[in-house]
Amino acid sequence: RDCCIGQSAMGAGASKRDGNKQLEKVSAAEREGIVVVPRQDRDHAVNTMVRSFCGYGADPEFAVDFCFWPLKDAELFKPLPQQEDGTFKQNPDHEACYRYFFTFALTEIVYSGIVFGIKKEDGDGYAAITVVRPPGCKETMWTAIKAMNKLGWSMPPWEDGKRDYRFKQTKIRTDEVTKLQGKIHKESCAQKHWYVYIVAVDPAQQGKKYGKRLLTLINSLADRDGAPIYLDTVGERNIAVYT
């Protein structure tokens, strides 16, 4: 199928954002085990996304980690080691950036897209999550304002003037990568399209083809709309997954 992939250094109608109606468009086999993540499950979904991107025992996602890791040089992009109790050592500033980013994304997407997920087989939470925007749906100033209002106007760590100097570098990186991603997106896929904003699979659940199942669903929905799919990624490994 057509797929616009932008490689970075890293208000449509409510019916389009109705995930259950979208699931009804595909076969039972294509939607098996896939659910629309409800708002009350936001924190469960955020936990899955943080673990997937943040380096919990697996390589962190390069572009986002480049923005959020407040240290430099050899401290960048190192997987976090698992401890005897099953937890992971975590830089609190690092995790605070990830947790805010994903919390904001899942709060804003209520007004601009859909969150699909696959639940864990052996407990609460989600094995995999994808955040998508159907054709004609996009983040705007107003959807961002609504999200900020829902979050009580709490600011991201890198905008908090009370934080130490390390976050100045985080803010610079985040601002520049965001501009670059927006430019690539606009230039790569000007027509209406399905935008795969985030795909996250819990490291403990990887290798079970959960990510493939979510992407197959989006491919089927895009086929029915006659629309291309856009996503941005970085690194040969990720590009191979999506192509």
Side-chain angles (χ1 to χ4, degrees), residues 1-229:
R1 68 155 305 97
D2 292 334
C3 185
C4 311
I5 299 182
Q7 184 179 5
S8 66
M10 148 154 148
S15 61
K16 289 185 178 180
R17 295 185 280 107
D18 187 326
N20 289 309
K21 287 185 177 179
Q22 292 288 358
L23 287 176
E24 290 173 359
K25 295 179 181 179
V26 302
S27 68
E30 289 172 316
R31 65 175 183 263
E32 182 179 3
I34 298 175
V35 300
V36 178
V37 178
R39 298 184 192 187
Q40 61 266 29
D41 278 4
R42 185 190 69 187
D43 290 345
H44 284 309
V46 168
N47 287 338
T48 297
M49 297 158 83
V50 170
R51 285 175 56 82
S52 175
F53 276 71
C54 202
Y56 276 65
D59 290 342
E61 201 283 332
F62 181 88
V64 184
D65 212 55
F66 171 77
C67 294
F68 291 160
W69 190 245
L71 304 179
K72 297 180 180 180
D73 304 325
E75 297 298 325
L76 283 166
F77 320 126
K78 292 174 64 176
L80 302 170
Q82 189 170 15
Q83 305 302 298
E84 292 181 0
D85 62 357
T87 61
F88 294 79
K89 288 183 177 179
Q90 183 65 62
N91 179 293
D93 291 337
H94 188 215
E95 180 163 0
C97 289
Y98 272 94
R99 195 161 291 280
Y100 183 94
F101 174 73
F102 290 127
T103 299
F104 178 87
L106 291 187
T107 304
E108 187 280 330
I109 206 69
V110 169
Y111 310 106
S112 68
I114 307 167
V115 185
F116 292 115
I118 299 175
K119 291 186 175 181
K120 292 180 179 178
E121 297 177 356
D122 56 354
D124 293 334
Y126 291 85
I129 294 287
T130 187
V131 181
V132 297
R133 293 191 175 102
C137 299
K138 61 182 180 180
E139 180 182 359
T140 66
M141 178 180 69
W142 296 114
T143 65
I145 288 174
K146 288 178 181 178
M148 288 294 294
N149 187 55
K150 285 286 185 181
L151 294 174
W153 296 96
S154 62
M155 298 301 292
W158 55 91
E159 297 284 0
D160 186 349
K162 297 179 182 178
R163 298 270 182 167
D164 64 36
Y165 71 94
R166 293 176 299 172
F167 278 90
K168 292 182 180 179
Q169 185 62 235
T170 302
K171 175 174 170 49
I172 291 170
R173 293 174 179 176
T174 300
D175 288 348
E176 290 303 313
V177 169
T178 299
K179 290 177 186 177
L180 179 60
Q181 286 179 316
K183 180 176 184 291
I184 294 172
H185 191 166
K186 184 177 181 179
E187 293 176 352
S188 300
C189 209
Q191 69 268 48
K192 289 185 177 180
H193 56 276
W194 277 84
Y195 177 27
V196 179
Y197 181 32
I198 299 169
V199 179
V201 181
D202 189 297
Q205 304 292 327
Q206 290 178 7
K208 300 180 180 180
K209 300 188 182 301
Y210 289 144
K212 181 178 180 179
R213 285 168 58 188
L214 291 171
L215 290 171
T216 297
L217 168 68
I218 306 307
N219 269 290
S220 296
L221 291 171
D223 283 342
R224 282 159 175 75
D225 288 340
I229 296 171

